[in-house]
């Protein structure tokens, strides 16, 4: 049974929010960024459990600071503590936490763990990254693009690299917002077919274009923003060396950026492996917005928590 309040649900996949709901989040995040004090009591006394089964800098800090800036507080649960599904079942964790806190953020491996928590808990559950999706990241990223380009339906985003969780959520967000996204990955590392299909179904309604290719230059041609992410995600540490060889032609360097529009933004969810998926020259260039994206995680997630948790 799905819960809650205003949006009536959790935020596990980008697809959980309609186009209108994403725009409502963006407008609220814009207002919160401009005038944070106005919202300082809006989530008075609300407590978020922050479950991390993988490391984090941005997600941990922005959820913790975000809930506090809204008048609430958080409890951090490290990978060593809950041991979701091993020390205790996902269902039992949900049934405990719903009696103790007002919302859950979960960063974990299997997407089914996040959906399992959300299905069992009567309180909102927010996905802070799974192997399949990173929805808060993608919303913060399109919010960042919106700060530069007022009409997102005219924006062309190129994602170059692994067809991973970040690529999936960017694709679904582009689809919801009517933007164009080109994804260039090596043949065996393209985004999952079921996510591409989902995005294409949404795109038909919104006028978005979702294009998958193996050619980084083709993807980047005329792009307003070029995005990349690590070649080996958390949990894929054993594949690092093998992936380095395969992904090298997909490095975002000045030569590749020269195929994009003049002044195209460079984007990365961070952490970055400088010298691998991106060169220093590009990530430190004047068109790099990586730290603006990181900051916008705070504003966008505050808006998400606000809409999901408030009475
Ligand atoms: N981009 C991002 O989610 O960063 P962390 O892994 O540091 O939270
Ligand atoms: N794809 C990366 C994103 C980190 C924010 C990972 O899952 O490790």
């Amino acid at each position: 049974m799905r819960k809650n309040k205003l949006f009536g649900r959790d935020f596990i996949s980008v697809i959980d929010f309609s186009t209108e709901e994403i725009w409502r989040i963006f407008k609220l995040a814009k207002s919160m960024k401009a005038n944070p004090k106005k919202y300082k009591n809006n989530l008075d006394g609300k407590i978020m459990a922050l479950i991390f089964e993988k490391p984090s800098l941005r997600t941990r800090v922005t959820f913790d600071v975000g809930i506090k800036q809204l008048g609430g507080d958080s409890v951090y649960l490290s990978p060593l503590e809950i041991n979701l599904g091993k020390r205790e079942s996902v269902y039992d964790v949900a049934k405990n936490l719903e009696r103790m806190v007002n919302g859950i953020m979960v960063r974990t491996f299997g997407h089914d763990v996040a959906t399992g928590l959300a299905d069992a808990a009567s309180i909102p559950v927010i996905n802070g990254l799974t192997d399949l999706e990173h929805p808060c990241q993608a919303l913060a990223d399109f919010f960042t693009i919106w700060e530069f380009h007022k009409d997102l339906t005219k924006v062309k985003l190129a994602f170059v690299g692994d067809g991973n969780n970040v690529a999936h959520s960017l694709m679904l967000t582009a689809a919801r917002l009517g933007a164009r996204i080109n994804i260039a990955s090596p043949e065996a590392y393209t985004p999952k077919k079921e996510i591409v299909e989902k995005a294409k179904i949404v795109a038909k309604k919104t006028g978005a274009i979702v294009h998958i290719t193996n050619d980084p230059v083709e993807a980047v041609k005329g792009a307003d923003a070029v995005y990349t992410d690590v070649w080996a995600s958390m949990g894929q540490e054993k594949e690092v060396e093998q992936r380095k060889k395969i992904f090298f032609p997909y490095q975002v360097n000045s030569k590749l950026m020269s195929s994009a529009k003049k002044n195209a933004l460079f984007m990365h969810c961070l952490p970055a492996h400088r010298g691998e998926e991106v060169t220093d020259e590009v990530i430190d260039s004047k068109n790099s917005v990586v730290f603006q994206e990181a900051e916008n995680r705070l504003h966008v997630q505050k808006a998400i928590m606000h809409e999901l948790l408030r009475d």
Side-chain angles (χ1 to χ4, degrees), residues 129 134 164-166 229-230 233-234 269-270:
L129 181 147
H134 197 1
N164 63 13
N165 44 10
V166 171
D229 184 14
V230 289
S233 285
M234 292 179 276
C269 55
L270 305 178

Side-chain angles (χ1 to χ4, degrees), residues 257-298:
M257 285 301 288
S258 71
S259 293
K261 270 194 190 144
K262 195 169 170 268
N263 290 328
L265 304 176
F266 171 73
M267 306 184 75
H268 194 308
C269 55
L270 305 178
H273 292 164
R274 289 164 174 260
E276 293 181 21
E277 75 273 6
V278 60
T279 56
D280 283 337
E281 203 179 15
V282 169
I283 198 169
D284 295 329
S285 69
K286 68 175 186 2
N287 295 326
S288 170
V289 293
V290 297
F291 301 119
Q292 190 168 328
E293 292 172 79
E295 179 193 331
N296 285 336
R297 294 286 304 280
L298 174 67

Side-chain angles (χ1 to χ4, degrees), residues 135-199:
C136 295
Q137 179 72 51
L139 255 52
D141 294 334
F142 269 91
F143 178 84
T144 306
I145 298 173
W146 183 48
E147 293 184 314
F148 293 91
H149 295 280
K150 282 301 143 215
D151 186 353
L152 289 179
T153 66
K154 297 206 170 76
V155 162
K156 189 198 274 191
L157 172 66
F159 180 97
V160 179
D162 189 19
N164 63 13
N165 44 10
V166 171
H168 290 156
S169 290
L170 287 171
M171 206 162 57
L172 292 170
T173 310
R176 277 283 192 238
L177 295 173
R180 176 175 180 124
I181 186 163
N182 293 345
I183 301 200
S185 314
E187 185 57 44
Y189 298 89
T190 52
K192 279 202 188 315
K193 279 206 175 62
E194 73 252 29
I195 305 278
V196 177
E197 273 159 27
K198 231 184 240 184

